[in-house]
Amino acid sequence: MAYWLIKSEPSAYSWDQLVKEKRTSWTGVRNPQATINLKAMKAGDRCFFYHSGEGKEIVGIAEVVKAAYPDPTDKAGKAVTVDVAPVGAVKQPVTLAAIKADPSFKDFKLVRQSRLSVVPVSAEHWKLLSKMSGGK
C-alpha cells in the first residue's frame, strides 16, 4: 500500500461533500507531476484529504477505490483521474503551519512543492501525520 495526499479547495470540493457522495472521481488535475502521481495510485492506497486555500489542513482519510483511467473532463485526452472514497475524518485536523513547524517534514512534498495537488506521503510521514491527527 502506498500513501498520498490529495488537495482540494473546500469551496470547490470539500471533505463533507466526499462523505455525502461516498465516492468521487478526482478529476481536473492537469499538472504533469501530479498526473504522474495519479498514475502511480493503486486501489487500496490511502490518502490524506487536505483542504487548501481556506483552512490549509488535513481533514480526512480517503481510499483509492479505482486506479487511474482517462479523465472525462479533459478534452485533450491526456489527463487521468482516480476514484476515491472516504474512510473517515481525522480526530484533529493537522494544519500546514503545524507541518511546517516540525523539522521531520522538511522534505515532505506538501512543504517543498506546495502547489502540487497530489503528492506522495512516505510511510514515516504517514505515521507522524496520523499521530498528529489523533489516529494510530
Side-chain angles (χ1 to χ4, degrees):
M1 175 188 326
Y3 302 106
W4 305 93
L5 181 139
I6 54 177
K7 292 168 55 176
S8 181
E9 287 275 351
S11 59
Y13 194 86
S14 69
W15 170 254
D16 290 340
Q17 201 169 344
L18 177 61
V19 170
K20 182 179 176 185
E21 293 176 0
K22 296 185 173 66
R23 179 179 179 144
T24 195
S25 294
W26 207 253
T27 59
V29 175
R30 301 295 185 263
N31 175 281
Q33 184 60 55
T35 297
I36 290 168
N37 292 339
L38 281 176
K39 288 178 178 178
M41 293 175 142
K42 305 286 184 236
D45 286 356
R46 292 290 169 105
C47 310
F48 284 119
F49 192 106
Y50 179 87
H51 278 165
S52 62
E54 310 155 33
K56 294 185 181 175
E57 60 190 2
I58 294 170
V59 294
I61 297 173
E63 181 175 329
V64 176
V65 293
K66 184 176 180 182
Y69 62 94
D71 182 339
T73 69
D74 179 25
K75 304 290 185 236
K78 295 178 182 178
V80 297
T81 184
V82 298
D83 288 359
V84 296
V87 172
V90 296
K91 291 179 183 173
Q92 173 65 43
V94 181
T95 66
L96 180 59
I99 293 167
K100 286 183 171 182
D102 187 330
S104 303
F105 294 103
K106 69 180 180 342
D107 293 326
F108 185 36
K109 296 276 188 204
L110 179 65
V111 173
R112 302 212 33 166
Q113 294 177 290
S114 61
R115 295 182 53 86
L116 205 54
S117 61
V118 180
V119 298
V121 178
S122 69
E124 177 184 334
H125 285 155
W126 184 269
K127 287 179 190 171
L128 288 169
L129 290 166
S130 293
K131 186 175 180 182
M132 290 169 74
S133 69
K136 296 176 184 171

